[in-house]
Short mmCIF file of all heavy atoms in Angstrom, two decimals:
data_model
loop_
_atom_site.label_atom_id
_atom_site.label_comp_id
_atom_site.label_asym_id
_atom_site.label_seq_id
_atom_site.Cartn_x
_atom_site.Cartn_y
_atom_site.Cartn_z
N PRO A 92 8.88 7.54 25.01
CA PRO A 92 7.78 7.84 24.08
C PRO A 92 8.15 7.53 22.64
O PRO A 92 7.30 7.14 21.85
CB PRO A 92 7.54 9.34 24.28
CG PRO A 92 8.06 9.62 25.65
CD PRO A 92 9.23 8.72 25.82
N ALA A 93 9.42 7.72 22.29
CA ALA A 93 9.89 7.43 20.93
C ALA A 93 10.70 6.14 20.92
O ALA A 93 11.46 5.87 21.85
CB ALA A 93 10.73 8.59 20.41
N THR A 94 10.51 5.35 19.89
CA THR A 94 11.24 4.11 19.76
C THR A 94 12.70 4.39 19.47
O THR A 94 13.04 5.28 18.70
CB THR A 94 10.64 3.26 18.62
OG1 THR A 94 9.25 3.10 18.87
CG2 THR A 94 11.31 1.90 18.54
N HIS A 95 13.59 3.64 20.09
CA HIS A 95 15.04 3.82 19.88
C HIS A 95 15.66 2.47 19.58
O HIS A 95 15.31 1.44 20.17
CB HIS A 95 15.68 4.45 21.12
CG HIS A 95 15.45 3.66 22.40
ND1 HIS A 95 16.38 2.82 22.94
CD2 HIS A 95 14.37 3.60 23.22
CE1 HIS A 95 15.91 2.27 24.05
NE2 HIS A 95 14.68 2.72 24.23
N LEU A 96 16.59 2.47 18.63
CA LEU A 96 17.25 1.24 18.20
C LEU A 96 18.77 1.35 18.21
O LEU A 96 19.46 0.37 18.49
CB LEU A 96 16.79 0.86 16.79
CG LEU A 96 15.30 0.60 16.59
CD1 LEU A 96 15.00 0.37 15.10
CD2 LEU A 96 14.83 -0.59 17.41
N GLN A 97 19.31 2.52 17.87
CA GLN A 97 20.75 2.61 17.63
C GLN A 97 21.56 2.37 18.90
O GLN A 97 22.64 1.78 18.84
CB GLN A 97 21.12 3.94 17.00
CG GLN A 97 20.66 5.18 17.73
CD GLN A 97 20.68 6.41 16.81
OE1 GLN A 97 20.52 6.31 15.59
NE2 GLN A 97 20.89 7.57 17.40
N ASP A 98 21.06 2.79 20.06
CA ASP A 98 21.80 2.54 21.30
C ASP A 98 21.83 1.05 21.62
O ASP A 98 22.85 0.52 22.06
CB ASP A 98 21.18 3.34 22.45
CG ASP A 98 19.70 3.04 22.66
OD1 ASP A 98 18.96 2.97 21.66
OD2 ASP A 98 19.27 2.89 23.82
N ILE A 99 20.71 0.37 21.38
CA ILE A 99 20.66 -1.08 21.63
C ILE A 99 21.59 -1.80 20.66
O ILE A 99 22.30 -2.74 21.05
CB ILE A 99 19.21 -1.59 21.48
CG1 ILE A 99 18.29 -0.85 22.46
CG2 ILE A 99 19.14 -3.10 21.72
CD1 ILE A 99 16.81 -1.12 22.26
N ALA A 100 21.60 -1.36 19.41
CA ALA A 100 22.50 -1.97 18.43
C ALA A 100 23.95 -1.84 18.86
O ALA A 100 24.74 -2.78 18.72
CB ALA A 100 22.28 -1.33 17.06
N VAL A 101 24.33 -0.67 19.38
CA VAL A 101 25.71 -0.46 19.84
C VAL A 101 26.05 -1.44 20.95
O VAL A 101 27.12 -2.09 20.93
CB VAL A 101 25.91 0.99 20.31
CG1 VAL A 101 27.23 1.14 21.06
CG2 VAL A 101 25.89 1.94 19.12
N ARG A 102 25.18 -1.60 21.93
CA ARG A 102 25.46 -2.53 23.04
C ARG A 102 25.61 -3.96 22.53
O ARG A 102 26.52 -4.69 22.95
CB ARG A 102 24.33 -2.48 24.08
CG ARG A 102 24.20 -1.17 24.80
CD ARG A 102 23.19 -1.27 25.95
NE ARG A 102 22.72 0.05 26.30
CZ ARG A 102 21.58 0.59 25.88
NH1 ARG A 102 20.75 -0.11 25.11
NH2 ARG A 102 21.24 1.82 26.22
N ARG A 103 24.73 -4.36 21.65
CA ARG A 103 24.77 -5.73 21.14
C ARG A 103 26.04 -5.98 20.34
O ARG A 103 26.63 -7.07 20.39
CB ARG A 103 23.53 -6.01 20.30
CG ARG A 103 22.24 -6.06 21.11
CD ARG A 103 21.01 -6.13 20.22
NE ARG A 103 20.97 -7.33 19.43
CZ ARG A 103 20.30 -8.43 19.74
NH1 ARG A 103 19.61 -8.48 20.87
NH2 ARG A 103 20.32 -9.48 18.96
N VAL A 104 26.48 -4.98 19.60
CA VAL A 104 27.70 -5.13 18.83
C VAL A 104 28.92 -5.23 19.74
O VAL A 104 29.84 -6.02 19.48
CB VAL A 104 27.86 -3.97 17.83
CG1 VAL A 104 29.27 -3.93 17.24
CG2 VAL A 104 26.84 -4.11 16.71
N LEU A 105 28.95 -4.46 20.83
CA LEU A 105 30.06 -4.58 21.77
C LEU A 105 30.15 -6.00 22.32
O LEU A 105 31.24 -6.56 22.46
CB LEU A 105 29.90 -3.58 22.91
CG LEU A 105 30.13 -2.10 22.57
CD1 LEU A 105 30.05 -1.25 23.84
CD2 LEU A 105 31.47 -1.89 21.88
N VAL A 106 29.00 -6.60 22.63
CA VAL A 106 28.99 -7.98 23.10
C VAL A 106 29.55 -8.91 22.02
O VAL A 106 30.37 -9.81 22.29
CB VAL A 106 27.57 -8.41 23.51
CG1 VAL A 106 27.51 -9.91 23.78
CG2 VAL A 106 27.12 -7.63 24.75
N ARG A 107 29.13 -8.70 20.79
CA ARG A 107 29.61 -9.53 19.68
C ARG A 107 31.11 -9.40 19.49
O ARG A 107 31.78 -10.35 19.04
CB ARG A 107 28.87 -9.16 18.40
CG ARG A 107 27.41 -9.54 18.40
CD ARG A 107 26.66 -8.94 17.22
NE ARG A 107 27.14 -9.43 15.94
CZ ARG A 107 26.64 -9.07 14.76
NH1 ARG A 107 25.64 -8.19 14.73
NH2 ARG A 107 27.12 -9.56 13.63
N LEU A 108 31.66 -8.23 19.83
CA LEU A 108 33.10 -7.99 19.67
C LEU A 108 33.89 -8.33 20.93
O LEU A 108 35.11 -8.17 20.95
CB LEU A 108 33.34 -6.53 19.29
CG LEU A 108 32.83 -6.10 17.91
CD1 LEU A 108 32.98 -4.60 17.73
CD2 LEU A 108 33.59 -6.84 16.81
N GLY A 109 33.21 -8.77 21.98
CA GLY A 109 33.90 -9.11 23.22
C GLY A 109 34.41 -7.90 23.97
O GLY A 109 35.39 -8.00 24.72
N ARG A 110 33.73 -6.77 23.84
CA ARG A 110 34.13 -5.54 24.52
C ARG A 110 32.96 -5.02 25.36
O ARG A 110 31.82 -5.47 25.21
CB ARG A 110 34.54 -4.46 23.50
CG ARG A 110 35.67 -4.86 22.57
CD ARG A 110 37.01 -4.89 23.28
NE ARG A 110 37.40 -3.59 23.82
CZ ARG A 110 38.06 -2.66 23.11
NH1 ARG A 110 38.37 -2.88 21.83
NH2 ARG A 110 38.43 -1.52 23.67
N TRP A 111 33.25 -4.04 26.24
CA TRP A 111 32.18 -3.39 26.99
C TRP A 111 32.66 -2.02 27.42
O TRP A 111 33.84 -1.70 27.31
CB TRP A 111 31.72 -4.22 28.17
CG TRP A 111 30.37 -3.78 28.68
CD1 TRP A 111 30.08 -3.24 29.90
CD2 TRP A 111 29.13 -3.84 27.97
NE1 TRP A 111 28.73 -2.95 30.00
CE2 TRP A 111 28.12 -3.31 28.82
CE3 TRP A 111 28.76 -4.28 26.70
CZ2 TRP A 111 26.78 -3.20 28.45
CZ3 TRP A 111 27.43 -4.18 26.32
CH2 TRP A 111 26.45 -3.65 27.19
N PHE A 112 31.75 -1.19 27.89
CA PHE A 112 32.06 0.18 28.29
C PHE A 112 33.01 0.21 29.48
O PHE A 112 32.85 -0.55 30.43
CB PHE A 112 30.77 0.92 28.64
CG PHE A 112 29.73 0.91 27.55
CD1 PHE A 112 28.57 0.17 27.68
CD2 PHE A 112 29.93 1.65 26.40
CE1 PHE A 112 27.60 0.18 26.69
CE2 PHE A 112 28.97 1.66 25.39
CZ PHE A 112 27.81 0.92 25.53
N GLU A 113 33.95 1.14 29.43
CA GLU A 113 34.91 1.31 30.51
C GLU A 113 34.99 2.75 31.00
O GLU A 113 35.75 3.06 31.93
CB GLU A 113 36.30 0.87 30.03
CG GLU A 113 36.37 -0.58 29.58
CD GLU A 113 37.71 -0.93 28.94
OE1 GLU A 113 38.58 -0.03 28.87
OE2 GLU A 113 37.88 -2.10 28.53
N GLY A 114 34.24 3.67 30.39
CA GLY A 114 34.36 5.09 30.70
C GLY A 114 33.37 5.58 31.73
O GLY A 114 32.70 4.79 32.42
N ASP A 115 33.23 6.91 31.81
CA ASP A 115 32.37 7.54 32.79
C ASP A 115 31.19 8.30 32.19
O ASP A 115 30.25 8.65 32.90
CB ASP A 115 33.19 8.55 33.62
CG ASP A 115 34.34 7.87 34.38
OD1 ASP A 115 34.10 6.78 34.92
OD2 ASP A 115 35.44 8.45 34.41
N ALA A 116 31.23 8.57 30.89
CA ALA A 116 30.21 9.42 30.27
C ALA A 116 29.00 8.60 29.83
O ALA A 116 29.15 7.50 29.28
CB ALA A 116 30.79 10.16 29.08
N LEU A 117 27.81 9.13 30.08
CA LEU A 117 26.60 8.57 29.50
C LEU A 117 26.43 9.25 28.16
O LEU A 117 26.06 10.43 28.08
CB LEU A 117 25.39 8.82 30.41
CG LEU A 117 24.06 8.23 29.95
CD1 LEU A 117 24.17 6.73 29.73
CD2 LEU A 117 22.97 8.54 30.97
N LEU A 118 26.71 8.53 27.10
CA LEU A 118 26.89 9.12 25.77
C LEU A 118 25.61 9.01 24.95
O LEU A 118 25.05 7.91 24.80
CB LEU A 118 28.04 8.41 25.06
CG LEU A 118 28.70 9.13 23.89
CD1 LEU A 118 29.43 10.38 24.38
CD2 LEU A 118 29.67 8.20 23.18
N ARG A 119 25.17 10.12 24.41
CA ARG A 119 24.02 10.10 23.52
C ARG A 119 24.51 9.85 22.10
O ARG A 119 25.26 10.64 21.53
CB ARG A 119 23.26 11.43 23.56
CG ARG A 119 21.95 11.36 22.80
CD ARG A 119 21.17 12.66 22.88
NE ARG A 119 19.82 12.48 22.37
CZ ARG A 119 18.95 13.47 22.18
NH1 ARG A 119 19.30 14.72 22.48
NH2 ARG A 119 17.74 13.22 21.71
N VAL A 120 24.10 8.71 21.52
CA VAL A 120 24.57 8.34 20.18
C VAL A 120 23.69 9.03 19.13
O VAL A 120 22.89 8.40 18.45
CB VAL A 120 24.60 6.81 19.99
CG1 VAL A 120 25.77 6.21 20.70
CG2 VAL A 120 23.30 6.16 20.48
N ARG A 121 23.89 10.31 19.02
CA ARG A 121 23.17 11.13 18.06
C ARG A 121 24.07 12.31 17.72
O ARG A 121 24.76 12.84 18.59
CB ARG A 121 21.84 11.61 18.64
CG ARG A 121 21.09 12.56 17.74
CD ARG A 121 19.70 12.84 18.25
NE ARG A 121 18.84 11.65 18.17
CZ ARG A 121 17.52 11.71 18.28
NH1 ARG A 121 16.92 12.85 18.50
NH2 ARG A 121 16.81 10.60 18.20
N ALA A 122 24.08 12.70 16.46
CA ALA A 122 24.97 13.78 16.04
C ALA A 122 24.69 15.04 16.84
O ALA A 122 23.53 15.45 16.98
CB ALA A 122 24.80 14.05 14.55
N PRO A 123 25.73 15.68 17.36
CA PRO A 123 25.54 16.93 18.09
C PRO A 123 25.10 18.05 17.16
O PRO A 123 25.23 17.94 15.93
CB PRO A 123 26.92 17.20 18.68
CG PRO A 123 27.87 16.48 17.79
CD PRO A 123 27.14 15.27 17.30
N GLY A 124 24.60 19.11 17.74
CA GLY A 124 24.15 20.24 16.95
C GLY A 124 25.28 20.97 16.27
O GLY A 124 26.47 20.73 16.54
N GLU A 125 24.92 21.88 15.39
CA GLU A 125 25.91 22.65 14.66
C GLU A 125 26.82 23.41 15.62
O GLU A 125 26.37 24.05 16.56
CB GLU A 125 25.20 23.65 13.73
CG GLU A 125 26.13 24.39 12.79
CD GLU A 125 25.37 25.28 11.82
OE1 GLU A 125 24.12 25.19 11.79
OE2 GLU A 125 26.02 26.07 11.12
N GLY A 126 28.12 23.29 15.38
CA GLY A 126 29.09 23.97 16.23
C GLY A 126 29.51 23.16 17.45
O GLY A 126 30.37 23.60 18.21
N GLU A 127 28.90 21.97 17.65
CA GLU A 127 29.23 21.16 18.81
C GLU A 127 30.03 19.92 18.46
O GLU A 127 30.31 19.09 19.32
CB GLU A 127 27.93 20.72 19.52
CG GLU A 127 27.09 21.87 20.04
CD GLU A 127 25.80 21.39 20.69
OE1 GLU A 127 25.46 20.20 20.48
OE2 GLU A 127 25.15 22.17 21.37
N MET A 128 30.44 19.80 17.20
CA MET A 128 31.14 18.60 16.76
C MET A 128 32.45 18.41 17.52
O MET A 128 32.88 17.28 17.78
CB MET A 128 31.41 18.67 15.26
CG MET A 128 31.92 17.36 14.68
SD MET A 128 30.68 16.05 14.73
CE MET A 128 29.64 16.53 13.36
N ASP A 129 33.11 19.51 17.88
CA ASP A 129 34.40 19.41 18.57
C ASP A 129 34.25 19.36 20.09
O ASP A 129 35.25 19.36 20.81
CB ASP A 129 35.29 20.60 18.18
CG ASP A 129 35.70 20.53 16.71
OD1 ASP A 129 35.90 19.40 16.21
OD2 ASP A 129 35.82 21.58 16.07
N ALA A 130 33.02 19.33 20.56
CA ALA A 130 32.79 19.15 22.00
C ALA A 130 33.25 17.75 22.39
O ALA A 130 33.45 16.88 21.53
CB ALA A 130 31.32 19.36 22.32
N PRO A 131 33.46 17.50 23.69
CA PRO A 131 33.90 16.17 24.11
C PRO A 131 33.03 15.06 23.53
O PRO A 131 31.81 15.08 23.65
CB PRO A 131 33.78 16.24 25.64
CG PRO A 131 33.98 17.67 25.96
CD PRO A 131 33.32 18.43 24.83
N HIS A 132 33.69 14.13 22.86
CA HIS A 132 33.04 12.95 22.28
C HIS A 132 32.10 13.29 21.13
O HIS A 132 31.34 12.42 20.67
CB HIS A 132 32.28 12.15 23.33
CG HIS A 132 32.97 12.05 24.66
ND1 HIS A 132 34.29 11.67 24.77
CD2 HIS A 132 32.52 12.30 25.92
CE1 HIS A 132 34.63 11.66 26.06
NE2 HIS A 132 33.58 12.05 26.76
N GLY A 133 32.12 14.52 20.64
CA GLY A 133 31.19 14.92 19.59
C GLY A 133 31.34 14.11 18.32
O GLY A 133 30.34 13.71 17.71
N ARG A 134 32.55 13.83 17.91
CA ARG A 134 32.75 13.08 16.66
C ARG A 134 32.35 11.63 16.81
O ARG A 134 31.82 11.02 15.87
CB ARG A 134 34.22 13.21 16.22
CG ARG A 134 34.58 14.65 15.87
CD ARG A 134 35.95 14.76 15.23
NE ARG A 134 36.24 16.16 14.96
CZ ARG A 134 35.82 16.82 13.89
NH1 ARG A 134 35.07 16.19 12.99
NH2 ARG A 134 36.11 18.09 13.71
N ALA A 135 32.57 11.05 17.98
CA ALA A 135 32.13 9.67 18.20
C ALA A 135 30.62 9.59 18.19
O ALA A 135 30.03 8.67 17.61
CB ALA A 135 32.68 9.16 19.54
N ARG A 136 29.96 10.56 18.80
CA ARG A 136 28.49 10.59 18.80
C ARG A 136 27.96 10.69 17.37
O ARG A 136 27.01 9.99 17.00
CB ARG A 136 28.00 11.79 19.61
CG ARG A 136 28.19 11.68 21.11
CD ARG A 136 27.82 12.99 21.79
NE ARG A 136 26.47 13.39 21.47
CZ ARG A 136 25.98 14.60 21.70
NH1 ARG A 136 26.75 15.53 22.24
NH2 ARG A 136 24.72 14.87 21.39
N ALA A 137 28.57 11.56 16.59
CA ALA A 137 28.11 11.74 15.21
C ALA A 137 28.31 10.48 14.39
O ALA A 137 27.47 10.10 13.58
CB ALA A 137 28.84 12.91 14.57
N ALA A 138 29.45 9.80 14.60
CA ALA A 138 29.76 8.60 13.82
C ALA A 138 28.78 7.47 14.10
O ALA A 138 28.57 6.60 13.25
CB ALA A 138 31.18 8.14 14.12
N LEU A 139 28.16 7.48 15.29
CA LEU A 139 27.26 6.41 15.68
C LEU A 139 25.79 6.76 15.47
O LEU A 139 24.91 5.95 15.76
CB LEU A 139 27.49 6.04 17.15
CG LEU A 139 28.86 5.45 17.45
CD1 LEU A 139 29.09 5.36 18.95
CD2 LEU A 139 29.02 4.08 16.80
N ASP A 140 25.52 7.93 14.94
CA ASP A 140 24.16 8.34 14.63
C ASP A 140 23.66 7.52 13.44
O ASP A 140 24.32 7.43 12.40
CB ASP A 140 24.15 9.83 14.28
CG ASP A 140 22.75 10.40 14.13
OD1 ASP A 140 21.89 9.71 13.54
OD2 ASP A 140 22.53 11.53 14.57
N SER A 141 22.48 6.92 13.57
CA SER A 141 21.95 6.08 12.49
C SER A 141 21.71 6.87 11.21
O SER A 141 21.68 6.29 10.12
CB SER A 141 20.65 5.40 12.92
OG SER A 141 19.62 6.36 13.15
#
Side-chain angles (χ1 to χ4, degrees):
T94 305
H95 57 100
L96 300 175
Q97 54 198 29
D98 57 316
I99 302 171
V101 168
R102 295 188 201 98
R103 292 172 63 97
V104 167
L105 289 185
V106 171
R107 291 170 64 179
L108 293 173
R110 303 287 298 273
W111 198 245
F112 304 109
E113 301 172 0
D115 299 319
L117 182 56
L118 200 67
R119 189 178 191 188
V120 284
R121 176 171 292 195
E125 187 175 352
E127 299 178 346
M128 190 67 77
D129 293 325
H132 321 310
R134 295 189 181 278
R136 289 173 56 194
L139 295 170
D140 188 320
S141 65

